[in-house]
Amino acid sequence: MKRNYKILVLVVLLAFASCSFTTKTFDEPDKDKLLIQVITYVLQRGHFDPKEINDEFSIEVFDGFLDQLDPLKRYFYKSDIDEFEKYKLELDDQIKAYDISFFNLTYNRLIQRIGESKAIYKEVLASPFDYSVDEEFNSDYKNSTYVKNKKQMKDRWRQQLKFSNMVNYDDLMTAQEKAKEDNTLVEPSEIKDLDETDSTDADTEKQTKVERKTLAQIEKEAREETLKSIDLYYSDYIDDIQRKDWFAMYINSIVEQFDPHTNYFAPEDKANFNQQMSGKLEGIGARLQKRMDYTKIVELISGGPAWRGNELEVGDIILKVRQEKEQEAVNIVGMRLEDAIKLIKGPKGTTVVLTVKKVDGTTKDISITRDVVEIEETYAKSAIVNKDDMNFGVINLPKFYVDFEDYKSRNAASDIKKEIERLKAEGMKGLVIDLRNNGGGSLPVVVEIAGMFIKEGPIVQVRATGEPKEVLKDKDKSIDWDGPLVIMVNELSASASEILAAAMQDYKRAIIIGSKQTYGKGTVQNFLDLNNMVRNNKNGDLGALKLTTQKFYRINGGSTQLEGVKSDVVVVDRFSFIDIGEKDQKNPLPWDKIDSVDYTVWEGYFDNSETIRKSSKRMENNEQLKLIGENAKWIKTRMDENIHSLNYNKYRAQLKLNEEESKRFDKISEYQTSLTFESLPYEKELFKTDTILKEKRDRWHKSLSQDVYVEEAIHVLEDLKMSYAIKKLASTVKE
């Protein structure tokens, strides 16, 4: 590794995971109670700002859990809530006593009400909706009350289903109107004649025709589609949620009272988290989806075993799974998707045999040797663009990924370093790092990346409660890129993204372009495997706890918590008027500051101040950005609307009004810069054998060429390059 600083790998237990943790004996035989015992113990001793578990805490858990169980208030009755209310001030005592009476009561009642809801929605959808009635539907579920009786419950379902069914109804009505305009609307008798004619021409003609239907037929067909959709929702999602999943939800309603980023991960979620952070998994390399009782292939991951084998196809249905040393295959029809995936995934080098129903209807056994699969979307990617005879580089970094089990394997830092070297080989004169929508990742990785752009010095300060602050530094004097640098951010750039942007801003090493402020997450989490807490655990996998243990601070002493990083050049975007930052979450930790550390501002010839002034002026006069800002306000207004007409004529009138208003924003998607982006030579070689990768890169390059923010970032690099030449010349003359 390049730097020899103290690595704070997330999965390693830090100061809080001392021998004081291991001296505690957990001997609760009931797994659910054991989980509460272990988690509350860890929270009280390991969290950065532990909360007192009291009556106020109890109320928050009570309200939060019921909100998660029934957000649309279409399962529980007011009588249920009244019964639950007696626990509202007792949950703190139950948590301390590892008592799960409240959970058991609410879970059993929920399962009962979900069963009853199936009969209700089927009954509602068995009768026609009258769209001529002048009534309204209020979608402000948070402020609505629980119903008192079955009649009110049925009416609540009726209104919700009538509203959702309106979309299907309108689609069918629109299809009839369009067919009439196109002269393709025909009587049912004509369709019947074509059905009875046995010829290819008749089949072709039938496909171009739309059968005329009465309003009653259209309404009935719309309801049938809605019934299929909600049946799918129940069979593919609701019915698949097991008691352990609901209990994990209850655990999270407890731990999330501490802060928004402290979360419990059930065993399956723990594995998924590790996979997302490393971008790697061991398996066949296929994305699966449940459809009714079937497990369906929806994507083959480029370069994976299934993709290389060229036998599985998108749309194939997996019926059975057999391991290489087993005689009998396991039928996975009707199985939970998570359980089916467990059978299909496995260690590298092992073989799995899938019995597959092919897209063409045939059934086939396909043998696949599992391997390590890299999920390309996780990783950094780069492109080159030429402007005015100068090459500029763009690196997109989706997250600060790392393999928790092996830091020295592929991670964001090693990949960024490679991309910089490749771009430099192409004569790069300036670099854009795109951190938009990057929610963060590994702390040591971001420290290593920041060190690539400065000679040496502090990158970020980290502080745990009751502990002296720690300054994470770049100690390597080598610099990977010393040229013009722009970092792009938005409201969803968080955590590690904010560390990099803040450090480069404090050093005056880069110009930050983006939203007024970034997300505002200034906390550090550690991933604690709960199985390591319990000796001789006989209860199976306990999962993991992601725990906020530290806060990080800029080298100037300020915190990014709540306030985020303020962009040097502020540009409006589609998130500008939506509440999505840390300050908009429940239970965020407060902002504070500590002493700054000594650091030396970047000594370059770039005129940042003048470049920022020029860019800001361009942005103020940019018509595309003005339009994006107006669209963002318009979207916010639409999102805040809660009252919806259930009268079809009024609904349609409002729809047409919205469509007319939205037409003025069509130019946003039509925007085209004069820039052309290309892949680097090494990727072009890969395209010869990997057409999927080429398609993905082509789509990315097209989106870059239509991106007004990237266009401005390139302008800024150009200005920085010009200011370098002017200031360098001035310095030479002065000398």
Side-chain angles (χ1 to χ4, degrees):
M1 284 178 54
K2 179 182 173 185
R3 290 156 184 82
N4 189 27
Y5 55 79
K6 183 180 178 183
I7 293 178
L8 305 178
V9 181
L10 296 181
V11 349
V12 176
L13 309 183
L14 299 183
F16 70 90
S18 62
C19 57
S20 64
F21 258 23
T22 57
T23 56
K24 172 72 175 176
T25 300
F26 301 99
D27 53 9
E28 174 60 58
D30 182 280
K31 184 177 181 179
D32 293 341
K33 295 180 179 181
L34 176 64
L35 259 179
I36 293 179
Q37 183 183 22
V38 174
I39 286 173
T40 53
Y41 182 83
V42 172
L43 285 170
Q44 292 298 332
R45 286 158 182 79
H47 194 273
F48 179 85
D49 186 19
K51 278 195 173 184
E52 184 182 352
I53 299 179
N54 53 21
D55 285 352
E56 184 180 340
F57 186 92
S58 179
I59 292 169
E60 293 297 324
V61 173
F62 179 89
D63 291 338
F65 184 50
L66 292 182
D67 237 10
Q68 291 184 70
L69 292 184
D70 189 13
L72 304 186
K73 295 179 179 173
R74 61 182 186 183
Y75 294 135
F76 290 134
Y77 292 86
K78 187 178 183 303
S79 59
D80 295 325
I81 304 303
D82 290 342
E83 185 178 350
F84 302 156
E85 283 277 349
K86 69 179 182 181
Y87 292 96
K88 196 165 189 174
L89 298 177
E90 294 180 9
L91 292 184
D92 53 326
D93 301 315
Q94 285 200 5
I95 291 167
K96 292 172 184 175
Y98 324 130
D99 184 346
I100 57 173
S101 302
F102 173 69
F103 169 76
N104 286 333
L105 173 64
T106 51
Y107 166 73
N108 290 328
R109 188 64 51 81
L110 177 69
I111 297 306
Q112 175 190 340
R113 298 307 187 204
I114 286 175
E116 293 170 358
S117 72
K118 294 178 183 179
I120 294 173
Y121 80 70
K122 290 179 188 298
E123 182 182 351
V124 168
L125 290 171
S127 301
F129 290 124
D130 185 351
Y131 285 116
S132 66
V133 176
D134 204 6
E135 63 175 328
E136 291 179 331
F137 169 63
N138 188 344
S139 60
D140 182 9
Y141 304 112
K142 187 174 183 61
N143 293 313
S144 63
T145 59
Y146 290 94
V147 300
K148 296 179 179 179
N149 51 53
K150 290 183 179 180
K151 182 180 178 182
Q152 290 180 356
M153 181 65 81
K154 183 180 177 182
D155 194 60
R156 174 157 293 178
W157 272 95
R158 181 192 65 80
Q159 284 204 335
Q160 290 182 5
L161 290 172
K162 186 176 182 180
F163 178 64
S164 60
N165 185 68
M166 188 96 77
V167 177
N168 292 334
Y169 184 78
D170 181 61
D171 286 344
L172 293 171
M173 290 288 286
T174 302
Q176 292 275 305
E177 292 168 6
K178 188 176 186 305
K180 187 176 181 180
E181 291 174 5
D182 297 341
N183 292 319
T184 57
L185 189 66
V186 298
E187 298 300 327
S189 57
E190 189 172 334
I191 295 291
K192 184 179 180 182
D193 291 342
L194 289 171
D195 283 338
E196 293 174 352
T197 303
D198 188 15
S199 72
T200 304
D201 290 342
D203 290 339
T204 303
E205 185 180 356
K206 182 183 174 183
Q207 291 174 7
T208 65
K209 303 296 183 183
V210 176
E211 180 181 344
R212 186 189 302 277
K213 293 175 181 174
T214 65
L215 290 179
Q217 288 174 318
I218 292 171
E219 189 279 332
K220 183 173 184 291
E221 189 174 330
R223 269 187 297 115
E224 288 171 348
E225 282 301 311
T226 299
L227 179 61
K228 285 180 187 176
S229 296
I230 196 165
D231 278 343
L232 271 174
Y233 170 70
Y234 269 78
S235 65
D236 290 1
Y237 177 66
I238 295 295
D239 291 346
D240 260 7
I241 304 176
Q242 297 181 345
R243 183 188 182 281
K244 62 180 182 179
D245 303 313
W246 295 112
F247 189 70
M249 198 180 293
Y250 177 60
I251 292 290
N252 268 312
S253 70
I254 296 171
V255 304
E256 288 171 3
Q257 299 308 315
F258 284 72
D259 78 285
H261 308 289
T262 293
N263 314 107
Y264 169 66
F265 288 77
E268 293 88 351
D269 299 325
K270 178 180 70 173
N272 291 338
F273 179 82
N274 289 335
Q275 175 186 310
Q276 289 167 9
M277 283 304 302
S278 68
K280 294 184 288 188
L281 60 90
E282 289 186 343
I284 66 170
R287 287 195 171 97
L288 310 176
Q289 190 176 69
K290 187 174 180 184
R291 275 289 174 263
M292 295 301 284
D293 284 335
Y294 295 104
T295 300
K296 189 176 183 179
I297 307 286
V298 293
E299 183 185 353
L300 299 179
I301 298 173
S302 181
W307 179 83
R308 294 197 302 265
N310 204 30
E311 289 188 276
L312 271 183
E313 299 174 271
V314 171
D316 287 350
I317 293 171
I318 303 174
L319 304 175
K320 297 179 181 179
V321 180
R322 181 170 64 82
Q323 311 304 323
E324 59 182 332
K325 294 181 180 179
E326 295 178 356
Q327 296 295 319
E328 296 294 326
V330 177
N331 188 330
I332 65 169
V333 176
M335 186 180 288
R336 292 180 75 208
L337 182 61
E338 289 81 359
D339 295 332
I341 289 173
K342 286 180 185 176
L343 294 173
I344 296 167
K345 287 173 67 175
K348 174 183 176 180
T350 60
T351 300
V352 62
V353 180
L354 307 178
T355 301
V356 174
K357 183 178 181 181
K358 302 291 293 176
V359 176
D360 61 11
T362 60
T363 301
K364 181 180 181 181
D365 282 353
I366 297 176
S367 180
I368 301 174
T369 300
R370 301 177 178 107
D371 201 350
V372 174
V373 180
E374 294 189 336
I375 305 170
E376 180 266 332
E377 291 90 340
T378 304
Y379 300 131
K381 57 189 174 187
S382 66
I384 198 89
V385 59
N386 186 277
K387 186 177 188 298
D388 298 332
D389 296 324
M390 288 190 290
N391 280 344
F392 298 103
V394 177
I395 297 178
N396 176 274
L397 184 63
K399 64 179 66 174
F400 291 82
Y401 48 89
V402 67
D403 186 338
F404 287 149
E405 296 178 1
D406 183 9
Y407 185 88
K408 293 183 180 180
S409 69
R410 182 176 188 178
N411 62 53
S414 60
D415 282 356
I416 290 287
K417 184 179 178 66
K418 285 179 185 176
E419 296 303 326
I420 290 174
E421 293 305 315
R422 289 162 174 164
L423 288 165
K424 283 161 64 175
E426 297 302 305
M428 174 177 68
K429 302 299 182 185
L431 174 62
V432 176
I433 297 182
D434 189 353
L435 298 180
R436 290 176 297 177
N437 305 322
N438 183 325
S442 167
L443 179 58
V445 163
V446 68
V447 173
E448 188 170 351
I449 291 173
M452 297 177 187
F453 306 108
I454 61 171
K455 189 174 182 179
E456 62 180 334
I459 303 299
V460 65
Q461 304 184 77
V462 181
R463 182 176 69 87
T465 302
E467 299 285 335
K469 73 178 183 182
E470 183 173 12
V471 181
L472 304 186
K473 300 179 179 180
D474 167 44
K475 297 180 180 179
D476 190 316
K477 294 185 179 182
S478 65
I479 303 173
D480 292 279
W481 176 247
D482 63 356
L485 179 64
V486 167
I487 294 178
M488 300 178 65
V489 297
N490 64 4
E491 291 87 348
L492 295 178
S493 303
S495 196
S497 291
E498 295 171 293
I499 290 175
L500 180 58
M504 295 301 97
Q505 191 176 60
D506 289 343
Y507 276 106
K508 298 190 183 302
R509 176 63 188 90
I511 290 178
I512 314 300
I513 297 179
S515 51
K516 186 177 180 181
Q517 72 161 73
T518 52
Y519 188 86
K521 178 182 177 290
T523 56
V524 181
Q525 285 71 42
N526 288 273
F527 206 67
L528 173 63
D529 189 332
L530 297 176
N531 299 294
N532 296 333
M533 299 293 301
V534 183
R535 297 193 183 108
N536 303 316
N537 175 28
K538 298 178 181 179
N539 284 292
D541 196 339
L542 296 175
L545 186 67
K546 181 160 67 73
L547 182 71
T548 296
T549 57
Q550 297 167 310
K551 268 187 173 181
F552 63 78
Y553 300 83
R554 301 173 69 136
I555 53 178
N556 67 11
S559 171
T560 61
Q561 180 65 13
L562 303 182
E563 293 193 358
V565 177
K566 308 291 193 296
S567 295
D568 297 314
V569 179
V570 177
V571 288
V572 70
D573 64 21
R574 57 186 173 142
F575 302 120
S576 293
F577 304 101
I578 301 173
D579 299 333
I580 55 173
E582 178 86 356
K583 62 183 180 296
D584 303 306
Q585 307 306 308
K586 288 184 177 180
N587 310 310
L589 296 184
W591 179 90
D592 63 340
K593 64 184 298 184
I594 59 175
D595 293 337
S596 63
V597 291
D598 293 334
Y599 63 98
T600 303
V601 173
W602 176 257
E603 296 178 357
Y605 288 99
F606 307 121
D607 192 337
N608 281 20
S609 298
E610 178 61 16
T611 300
I612 290 169
R613 187 192 68 77
K614 286 182 178 180
S615 179
S616 297
K617 188 173 181 180
R618 275 194 301 266
M619 294 295 89
E620 286 173 11
N621 299 318
N622 189 296
E623 293 301 321
Q624 175 76 349
L625 286 175
K626 288 179 182 177
L627 195 60
I628 290 172
E630 291 172 13
N631 186 43
K633 290 179 182 176
W634 185 79
I635 290 172
K636 170 64 173 170
T637 302
R638 300 283 81 77
M639 289 176 62
D640 288 343
E641 291 174 351
N642 293 320
I643 306 300
H644 314 276
S645 177
L646 294 179
N647 176 284
Y648 179 67
N649 290 335
K650 290 185 177 180
Y651 169 87
R652 187 69 182 272
Q654 184 62 52
L655 207 61
K656 287 186 175 181
L657 179 62
N658 291 346
E659 288 171 357
E660 284 301 314
E661 288 180 351
S662 67
K663 283 180 181 178
R664 64 191 175 104
F665 304 122
D666 289 346
K667 290 182 180 179
I668 294 175
S669 59
E670 296 168 0
Y671 186 77
Q672 186 66 51
T673 72
S674 60
L675 302 174
T676 301
F677 296 81
E678 292 185 5
S679 286
L680 297 176
Y682 86 96
E683 257 192 356
K684 290 181 178 179
E685 282 298 311
L686 296 175
F687 294 162
K688 294 177 181 179
T689 55
D690 193 341
T691 57
I692 295 176
L693 179 62
K694 184 178 186 304
E695 288 174 10
K696 289 180 178 179
R697 289 296 182 266
D698 286 345
R699 285 198 298 269
W700 181 47
H701 294 158
K702 182 180 179 182
S703 70
L704 288 175
S705 69
Q706 296 179 301
D707 193 325
V708 66
Y709 308 102
V710 172
E711 180 184 39
E712 179 55 25
I714 301 300
H715 282 315
V716 168
L717 289 178
E718 197 172 28
D719 288 346
L720 284 171
K721 192 65 183 172
M722 292 300 294
S723 74
Y724 175 87
I726 293 169
K727 292 190 77 174
K728 181 71 173 175
L729 177 62
S731 175
T732 304
V733 171
K734 186 178 180 180
E735 291 170 2

